[in-house]
Amino acid sequence: VIEGVVTEGVTANIGVIQAGTKSVFLFLPTKKAWGGEYAAGTRVEVVAVVVGSQTLGDRTLPLLRAVWMRPAFGAQ
């Protein structure tokens, strides 16, 4: 379970989540069980599975695959 803030969209299915001091790539499957868009700055709660690491551009970060996701409310 991750609570964090969307910092950017890298591709149509991969975004960056900042959770505390750690950044991770989050893969959003095409067939997802949630709706809506998650723009940069959106606080989110995510249930995800760690699937390894990914290098995109000059960054290598842990790669997580979202199983469930929703906007988060309140302080982080």
Side-chain angles (χ1 to χ4, degrees):
V1 175
I2 295 177
E3 293 183 13
V5 177
V6 176
T7 58
E8 67 179 287
V10 179
T11 69
N13 290 61
I14 297 178
V16 178
I17 304 292
Q18 182 74 35
T21 60
K22 186 79 169 169
S23 291
V24 299
F25 287 128
L26 182 67
F27 173 73
L28 302 172
T30 335
K31 294 184 179 183
K32 53 190 180 214
W34 58 88
E37 297 294 319
Y38 295 93
T42 303
R43 288 184 186 275
V44 293
E45 294 175 342
V46 184
V47 175
V49 178
V50 178
V51 293
S53 63
Q54 178 73 42
T55 300
L56 294 172
D58 61 349
R59 292 183 292 186
T60 299
L61 298 174
L63 177 64
L64 286 70
R65 180 178 49 84
V67 175
W68 178 85
M69 185 170 173
R70 74 174 179 184
F73 300 96
Q76 195 175 6

